[in-house]
Amino acid sequence: MRRFLIITTGLLLLQALAVTALAQPDRLSGRWEGKMQSMRGDVDAVAIFKKEGDTYTGRSTGLRPGTEMLIRDVRIDGDKVTGRSEVETPQATIVINYTFTLDGETMKGQGALDFNGQPVTFELTLKRVSTSTEGPLTTQAPPPSAPGQAARPQRSASEQPQQKQSLDYFIGQWSYKYVGRESALGPAPREGLVTITKNADGKSATLTATGKSDTGAFRESAAITWDEATKTLLFTETTPGGVKLSSKGDWSSPISIRFTIPAVKVKGQTLQLRRTISVVAAHSFTITEELSEDGGPFVRLGNAIYSRIDAK
């Protein structure tokens, strides 16, 4: 009888331990909420991780409001969590690599990406708020409607905010960093401060810029004219290399401006520039430039990220 009681007690203990183990949540599975430090300041961030067999899947809020991303190749090695996301842009697919340190119910780390040849990182701090692996990636429910008012329709997760095509978008001060190769049009890499001021007619603006590169300080200037009817920007500019260019930008698409720029002769060489502005958000746009020399193929010249530094 004593032996039977010992065996029975042991079996019950093992069963209790198994139930306890099953009841304990996985270290990573669940809903995590926190903050992401970006160019526009701290913004809400949400990630949901789910374990399926021996692998994890994840999804998180996107870099733009109202969007979300899948997190692939999620792995845990001790206290380290890694994964990656892919973001489609008009120029290319951007890969974001995540590295986190897991500490109980908190997780801190960063996302790192290469944006047109320029490394960009952003910090993330998350806390697990539940073990649920389902539900939308929103941090809070929309505010209730006032009595007698119809409820506001919720915006689709796939909808992305777009900036209105207007000269006003560019008015203000911007800092920028240009990464690329040196040419007769200007030195590279370089960085500087751009001020764009609207003129009295309301349809044109003046651009002035100062900056520095490995070869020293430089200045830029441009006259900008906006045609609302045709959604066209006209630039007459003097580049950091002192070359005068005239260009016509098609802004019929709200997310990008594609410029047509006639070829110019510089020191006996025929140069033709191709430029695209990608309108990322109210606080940021990017420029991609390609150059053809003496009728040759267009090759990448450089890329720049512009960040607004004044309050609109």
Side-chain angles (χ1 to χ4, degrees), residues 17-176:
L17 291 173
V19 171
T20 302
L22 290 173
Q24 289 180 343
D26 179 82
R27 294 181 66 199
L28 184 61
S29 293
R31 180 185 182 89
W32 300 75
E33 295 183 1
K35 296 292 183 180
M36 176 180 73
Q37 295 179 357
S38 69
M39 290 186 296
R40 61 180 186 274
D42 286 356
V43 296
D44 293 333
V46 180
I48 295 178
F49 294 96
K50 183 177 182 180
K51 190 173 185 180
E52 298 175 334
D54 294 330
T55 62
Y56 289 93
T57 58
R59 53 195 177 98
S60 71
T61 45
L63 298 180
R64 292 183 178 183
T67 64
E68 65 177 71
M69 306 179 293
L70 294 177
I71 305 178
R72 310 175 189 273
D73 300 333
V74 181
R75 292 185 174 85
I76 297 182
D77 183 6
D79 293 331
K80 301 298 181 183
V81 179
T82 58
R84 68 181 180 87
S85 293
E86 295 181 355
V87 181
E88 297 292 336
T89 72
Q91 289 77 33
T93 299
I94 297 176
V95 177
I96 305 173
N97 292 303
Y98 298 102
T99 304
F100 292 101
T101 298
L102 189 60
D103 183 10
E105 298 297 292
T106 62
M107 187 162 50
K108 296 182 179 181
Q110 68 173 208
L113 60 95
D114 187 296
F115 193 89
N116 291 330
Q118 180 167 339
V120 178
T121 60
F122 51 91
E123 302 297 321
L124 287 154
T125 302
L126 302 171
K127 180 179 181 180
R128 180 156 58 180
V129 296
S130 77
T131 57
S132 173
T133 58
E134 306 298 333
L137 291 170
T138 54
T139 55
Q140 60 182 7
S145 302
Q149 287 185 341
R152 294 183 180 180
Q154 294 188 19
R155 187 166 62 185
S156 167
S158 60
E159 183 182 352
Q160 296 184 358
Q162 295 177 342
Q163 305 304 312
K164 179 183 177 182
Q165 296 103 310
S166 168
L167 184 64
D168 290 336
Y169 172 80
F170 292 101
I171 302 304
Q173 287 190 316
W174 305 79
S175 64
Y176 78 93

Side-chain angles (χ1 to χ4, degrees), residues 144-291:
S145 302
Q149 287 185 341
R152 294 183 180 180
Q154 294 188 19
R155 187 166 62 185
S156 167
S158 60
E159 183 182 352
Q160 296 184 358
Q162 295 177 342
Q163 305 304 312
K164 179 183 177 182
Q165 296 103 310
S166 168
L167 184 64
D168 290 336
Y169 172 80
F170 292 101
I171 302 304
Q173 287 190 316
W174 305 79
S175 64
Y176 78 93
K177 291 184 178 181
Y178 186 97
V179 178
R181 63 184 178 89
E182 187 174 357
S183 73
L185 300 178
R190 60 182 184 267
E191 60 184 52
L193 176 67
V194 173
T195 302
I196 303 177
T197 307
K198 184 184 285 189
N199 297 330
D201 60 11
K203 299 178 181 180
S204 63
T206 301
L207 179 153
T208 57
T210 57
K212 61 182 180 179
S213 70
D214 292 341
T215 58
F218 64 86
R219 297 183 65 86
E220 295 180 75
S221 63
I224 308 171
T225 303
W226 167 243
D227 188 330
E228 174 68 30
T230 62
K231 296 293 188 290
T232 300
L233 278 173
L234 300 176
F235 271 71
T236 303
E237 64 186 281
T238 302
T239 72
V243 179
K244 296 185 181 298
L245 295 177
S246 296
S247 59
K248 180 179 180 180
D250 178 1
W251 201 359
S252 56
S253 167
I255 63 173
S256 64
I257 310 171
R258 300 185 181 276
F259 287 84
T260 301
I261 306 174
V264 294
K265 282 277 191 180
V266 181
K267 298 179 180 179
Q269 189 178 30
T270 300
L271 302 178
Q272 185 166 15
L273 185 66
R274 192 156 62 187
R275 176 186 294 156
T276 300
I277 294 180
S278 296
V279 182
V280 178
H283 57 83
S284 178
F285 66 88
T286 67
I287 291 181
T288 301
E289 293 184 333
E290 297 174 304
L291 184 65

